Amino acid sequence: MNKYIIKGIILIMCIFLGILIPYQIRNNVEDNSFVSLSTIKEKQNDVDKIKKEIIDIKKLTKEQEKKFQKLEDVNDTREMIEVLEKDIEKYKTLSGFNDLEGPGIVLTVQDSDKEYIYGESDSSGIVHDADIQNILNDLKVAGAEAISISGQRVILNSPVKCGGPVIRVNNKNLIAPFVIRAIGDSKKLYAAIDAPGAYGRYLNDSRDLKLEIKEKSRIVVPRYSNTLEINYMKLVEEGE
Amino acid sequence: MKNIASKTLIVAVCVLLGIIISIQYKTVNDVVGPDSIPSQKNKELVNELARLEEEKEGLMNELTNLENKIKKYESEASKESDYIKELSEELEKYRMFSGYEEVEGPGVEIVINEPEINDEYAHSSSIVENYDYLLDIISYLNVTGSEAISINDLRYTSYSEMLIAGEHINFNNKPIGAPIKIKAIGPSDDIESALRISGGIINLMESYGFQIEIKKHDKLTIPRYTEIKELKYAKPISDDEE
């Protein structure tokens, strides 16, 4: 009889323990939840991004402080006009509304000489908009300061899109060969196109497109030929 | 005989326990994902992010105050002369266009999420490795007349570049990764229909498993460019020489 009582107690203890353990685990879940690796990566990117932005903003503030001090010294209208005109020139140059000159490269991209076989669907021998987009991006990575394609200045809202046999840049139809001029450190720009693994090299070697690069000590990149029109965006009002 | 019976019972219970534990383990794995790590690191990052965001906002306010003071000088001067007024309006226009002002207006927001990890898409599932999709989206946006574009709250400018750096893309020299949020101010109906054209970029990306959401907004705010850009090689051609 005694034996049965002991066994009964053990049974009750076991049941009690069984209830207690999952309860405990559930309680802990909130504090110790799991997140996926990609969430961590995302957060890490955000942190790195903001750190760099803070450095940028500090620099920008310093520059604007200088400008403010300059404005404080301005006494008459003539000086004010001078300051403003200088500023306009600066932003015009940055956004592509001035003709620029400097050292750089001239890159000619031409369709492949491969003969077209009737009925084939292989279009790898033709220069596509994506090819030009990639080359432009590579040039920007290498620090290109001004780029033009066959005389059309590439500015920040220049689309580069295919349209049948032509590529449209700034709403002008361009036909191969495409002559890309880029101002910057000519050695770096050259490498951005021709280095092993670069997109330009791939076009030349794997796609048989004809690429020709020349380093020049002085090239001219024309200004954006349309006028600046702003229809949709406006300044953010203060006090929001 | 009784001994054997109780031993069998224990064996049976142990087997049952083993099955239950493994089922539980599998369920947790399914729910949370295979490569999960405890949230402690995440919490640290979230805290750091909050701190940095506060710092950034403070600095940004300081900068805006300073620029407002500059603008005040300009507007006071423009009361005296119409020419100055004209000039300061023109300056504002170019500053907005080149990305040095925060702007607002109607537009679209595009959110791109990477496909879930899956054998079918394993080959080309990362937006980082396929950043040329982003270049193409920008081209589509520009074709339809977008006036200001930002990617993950970084303003797109004439000098914005994309470069693969390990597991993220460097854009304006800052790391970005999935999810990618692109904002564009412009004619939102045109932009949406251009992006959604059948056989277009969104179609292509969706066929590779990317999850893409396009939302139209009446009012979008796009932040300013924060870098100082100085041209080292290119010089303006002065008209006097010619």
Side-chain angles (χ1 to χ4, degrees):
Chain A
M1 200 56 206
N2 210 6
K3 217 172 154 189
Y4 283 111
I5 291 173
I6 288 171
K7 279 196 177 164
I9 289 174
I10 287 176
L11 183 70
I12 290 167
M13 295 280 269
C14 282
I15 291 171
F16 186 63
L17 193 69
I19 293 169
L20 207 67
I21 287 173
Y23 182 74
Q24 182 65 19
I25 288 174
R26 271 192 195 195
N27 255 0
N28 270 346
V29 157
E30 268 175 315
D31 286 313
N32 210 3
S33 63
F34 288 78
V35 287
S36 71
L37 205 56
S38 63
T39 315
I40 299 260
K41 262 189 233 157
E42 222 175 88
K43 288 268 153 41
Q44 187 68 55
N45 276 349
D46 282 349
V47 167
D48 293 347
K49 186 178 97 179
I50 279 205
K51 271 186 189 160
K52 287 198 168 161
E53 274 185 299
I54 286 175
I55 295 171
D56 286 346
I57 293 171
K58 278 183 183 158
K59 276 191 206 151
L60 203 55
T61 311
K62 248 182 217 155
E63 200 184 70
Q64 293 290 16
E65 260 163 18
K66 261 188 238 155
K67 193 186 162 190
F68 181 61
Q69 263 149 24
K70 221 201 282 172
L71 275 178
E72 274 188 323
D73 294 339
V74 169
N75 304 317
D76 57 16
T77 356
R78 204 174 43 82
E79 272 178 66
M80 187 74 194
I81 288 173
E82 238 166 64
V83 170
L84 282 175
E85 274 176 345
K86 226 178 168 183
D87 246 25
I88 291 175
E89 275 312 299
K90 183 181 143 197
Y91 287 105
K92 263 188 161 175
T93 306
L94 280 178
S95 50
F97 290 86
N98 272 337
D99 298 331
L100 295 176
E101 62 175 1
I105 60 159
V106 179
L107 166 69
T108 317
V109 187
Q110 197 159 8
D111 292 348
S112 159
D113 276 340
K114 260 193 303 191
E115 258 182 64
Y116 177 74
I117 303 157
Y118 186 75
E120 73 173 350
S121 60
D122 175 26
S123 60
S124 66
I126 301 171
V127 184
H128 290 278
D129 48 0
D131 302 333
I132 302 285
Q133 286 167 16
N134 269 303
I135 286 177
L136 293 183
N137 187 54
D138 284 354
L139 288 173
K140 283 182 196 171
V141 169
E145 295 178 347
I147 304 172
S148 73
I149 306 175
S150 303
Q152 287 302 314
R153 177 71 173 265
V154 178
I155 61 169
L156 75 111
N157 67 352
S158 294
V160 178
K161 284 266 65 137
C162 266
V166 299
I167 290 184
R168 290 173 71 85
V169 178
N170 292 349
N171 292 326
K172 300 255 176 3
N173 295 335
L174 306 179
I175 299 168
F178 303 99
V179 182
I180 299 175
R181 284 167 215 272
I183 297 179
D185 184 337
S186 54
K187 285 210 170 58
K188 272 193 203 161
L189 294 176
Y190 194 97
I193 301 298
D194 197 46
Y199 196 79
R201 189 71 169 260
Y202 152 76
L203 288 180
N204 203 13
D205 294 354
S206 311
R207 296 255 307 267
D208 273 338
L209 301 183
K210 285 184 286 178
L211 265 75
E212 202 187 312
I213 323 170
K214 276 187 218 129
E215 277 184 66
K216 290 267 172 77
S217 58
R218 181 182 178 272
I219 56 169
V220 173
V221 171
R223 76 183 78 180
Y224 180 62
S225 48
N226 301 351
T227 49
L228 172 62
E229 265 181 51
I230 294 177
N231 298 318
Y232 294 96
M233 64 178 173
K234 58 179 202 291
L235 282 178
V236 174
E237 299 292 325
E238 285 171 60
E240 277 186 88
Chain B
M1 199 58 209
K2 202 186 162 194
N3 214 355
I4 290 175
S6 69
K7 274 188 182 164
T8 335
L9 208 66
I10 287 175
V11 168
V13 168
C14 284
V15 168
L16 195 71
L17 192 69
I19 291 170
I20 289 174
I21 288 176
S22 64
I23 286 175
Q24 177 69 12
Y25 182 75
K26 282 222 158 186
T27 325
V28 167
N29 247 2
D30 280 350
V31 171
V32 187
D35 48 12
S36 304
I37 21 183
S39 63
Q40 198 193 354
K41 171 85 176 154
N42 190 41
K43 264 188 204 158
E44 276 169 27
L45 285 172
V46 168
N47 287 341
E48 197 181 356
L49 196 61
R51 189 178 58 76
L52 287 170
E53 249 158 25
E54 215 168 278
E55 191 185 341
K56 182 188 153 193
E57 207 168 302
L59 287 168
M60 208 58 165
N61 280 341
E62 206 178 294
L63 181 61
T64 326
N65 278 341
L66 192 61
E67 286 183 340
N68 282 341
K69 274 192 218 161
I70 291 175
K71 274 179 203 160
K72 214 169 146 196
Y73 262 102
E74 287 173 2
S75 66
E76 257 163 42
S78 41
K79 274 177 206 151
E80 292 163 27
S81 142
D82 282 346
Y83 185 54
I84 288 184
K85 198 178 169 194
E86 228 170 81
L87 282 179
S88 64
E89 271 166 13
E90 202 182 339
L91 176 62
E92 204 60 75
K93 219 167 87 173
Y94 283 109
R95 275 178 62 88
M96 268 162 77
F97 181 73
S98 52
Y100 283 93
E101 295 282 357
E102 192 180 19
V103 291
E104 63 180 19
V108 289
E109 189 182 3
I110 308 161
V111 182
I112 303 169
N113 271 300
E114 289 185 344
E116 277 164 34
I117 297 163
N118 178 330
D119 293 340
E120 200 187 333
Y121 301 126
H123 190 58
S124 57
S125 62
S126 139
I127 191 71
V128 172
E129 277 165 39
N130 292 292
Y131 67 91
D132 42 347
Y133 291 157
L134 298 179
L135 295 178
D136 209 26
I137 289 181
I138 289 170
S139 226
Y140 269 94
L141 292 173
N142 280 334
V143 157
T144 41
S146 299
E147 291 177 349
I149 300 172
S150 72
I151 302 181
N152 285 15
D153 281 333
L154 296 171
R155 183 75 167 259
Y156 177 79
T157 73
S158 302
Y159 306 98
S160 295
E161 81 297 349
M162 285 184 209
L163 178 66
I164 296 185
E167 288 176 336
H168 57 258
I169 308 171
N170 266 355
F171 177 73
N172 285 358
N173 269 323
K174 291 169 196 73
I176 58 168
I180 299 280
K181 286 194 194 90
I182 303 177
K183 288 189 205 162
I185 291 181
S188 44
D189 294 327
D190 292 3
I191 292 174
E192 199 190 0
S193 51
L195 284 170
R196 285 236 182 257
I197 188 171
S198 108
I201 182 69
I202 300 295
N203 244 210
L204 176 75
M205 289 177 75
E206 277 174 345
S207 75
Y208 284 120
F210 287 97
Q211 293 150 29
I212 300 171
E213 218 182 303
I214 302 179
K215 272 181 275 179
K216 281 188 273 184
H217 291 277
D218 291 336
K219 199 172 154 195
L220 262 180
T221 311
I222 290 190
R224 59 184 290 169
Y225 184 53
T226 49
E227 275 167 67
I228 299 172
K229 184 75 197 176
E230 257 156 30
L231 301 184
K232 265 187 275 174
Y233 297 94
K235 286 185 187 64
I237 303 173
S238 54
D239 296 330
D240 317 336
E241 284 175 35
E242 288 164 35

